[in-house]
Amino acid sequence: MDMTQMIVNVSGLLLIVFVAWFFWGPKKGGYKATFTPSGYQEAEIIVKGGYTPHIVIVKKGKPVKFQFIRKEENSCSEMVVFPEFNKSAALPVGEKVTVEFLPKESGEYSFQCQMGMYRGKVVVQD
């Protein structure tokens, strides 16, 4: 193997590692849900090419209300599923859809489209 081939191989390997880190690496931060006078923790989530915000931070033991607004026709975004809370909802384009649940335990819980391509996370804190 000559030097050119070695440079190409190492560059390709570094590019693969970067792509894997970018798409599947750890995500920091998150949106802190706001408390409303009715006692709910609320967040509005836009569905377009994924979820924005994709990480929402809430408090344990307080009811949560997420309002999803789907702004695309992609079939993957037709539904949102919260497996750990046994909740799901159809998301018609342009309509606001509310999903409510009560997080009883601290931890990280996923939500996703029915195909698992769009992913988000609820971080429940004490």
Side-chain angles (χ1 to χ4, degrees):
M1 182 181 306
D2 68 1
M3 188 60 124
T4 305
Q5 289 175 323
M6 192 172 223
I7 291 172
V8 168
N9 288 340
V10 169
S11 298
L13 183 61
L14 289 174
L15 183 60
I16 289 169
V17 169
F18 173 75
V19 168
W21 171 82
F22 183 80
F23 286 105
W24 297 290
K27 308 278 192 251
K28 303 235 187 253
Y31 173 80
K32 197 168 204 161
T34 56
F35 278 95
T36 62
S38 62
Y40 280 92
Q41 304 175 80
E42 291 190 8
E44 186 173 277
I45 300 172
I46 304 299
V47 183
K48 185 174 182 182
Y51 299 114
T52 306
H54 68 282
I55 299 173
V56 183
I57 301 166
V58 299
K59 295 286 184 191
K60 176 176 86 171
K62 305 288 183 190
V64 174
K65 186 183 290 186
F66 287 168
Q67 296 180 346
F68 288 86
I69 302 171
R70 182 175 168 214
K71 295 190 172 186
E72 67 179 1
E73 297 283 336
N74 188 344
S75 63
C76 185
S77 63
E78 291 176 346
M79 179 172 273
V80 64
V81 179
F82 289 79
E84 291 92 351
F85 296 105
N86 201 25
K87 296 276 185 176
S88 64
L91 303 175
V93 177
E95 293 183 28
K96 192 178 278 193
V97 176
T98 301
V99 176
E100 297 180 18
F101 58 94
L102 179 64
K104 296 179 181 176
E105 299 294 327
S106 299
E108 295 184 356
Y109 303 94
S110 66
F111 60 95
Q112 62 193 37
C113 68
Q114 73 273 17
M115 295 179 204
M117 295 175 67
Y118 291 179
R119 298 174 188 266
K121 183 169 34 175
V122 180
V123 178
V124 180
Q125 299 177 338
D126 289 324

